[in-house]
Amino acid sequence: MIGNLKPLEILLIIAVIVLLFGAKKLPEMARSLGKSARILKSEAKAMKKDGEAEADAAPAADQSAQQPVAPRTIQAAPGDVTSARPVNETNRTTQG
């Protein structure tokens, strides 16, 4: 569907977007969209690593029960410490 748009139609769509949101808001919206994409990408990587670590740690479950586990923190963007927050995760071993 997007491949069927002609250049004039694309310009019309861009003009409507600029009129609706204003030229000052567009860069801010693009930045927030990029930041959201980075967060989503980092979370997907973290979930993948957790899944791999969980599969590897299954035989060593007895050893990990003796050591306390530090909570994970999620950062909004690399180097962004102000919005880092701890993650409240449920104990997956008790849920069955």
Side-chain angles (χ1 to χ4, degrees), residues 22-36:
K24 292 182 180 181
K25 280 282 195 186
L26 289 177
E28 182 182 321
M29 290 171 56
R31 263 187 242 108
S32 65
L33 184 64
K35 191 173 183 179
S36 299

Side-chain angles (χ1 to χ4, degrees), residues 63-74:
Q63 294 174 356
S64 65
Q66 296 171 356
Q67 299 173 346
V69 178
R72 283 187 1 190
T73 55
I74 297 175

Side-chain angles (χ1 to χ4, degrees), residues 18-71:
V18 169
L19 287 174
L20 286 175
F21 296 108
K24 292 182 180 181
K25 280 282 195 186
L26 289 177
E28 182 182 321
M29 290 171 56
R31 263 187 242 108
S32 65
L33 184 64
K35 191 173 183 179
S36 299
R38 281 193 303 270
I39 292 171
L40 182 65
K41 185 177 178 181
S42 67
E43 285 300 311
K45 283 183 181 179
M47 288 177 67
K48 187 175 181 181
K49 284 182 183 179
D50 285 348
E52 290 172 357
E54 221 173 74
D56 293 341
D62 296 332
Q63 294 174 356
S64 65
Q66 296 171 356
Q67 299 173 346
V69 178

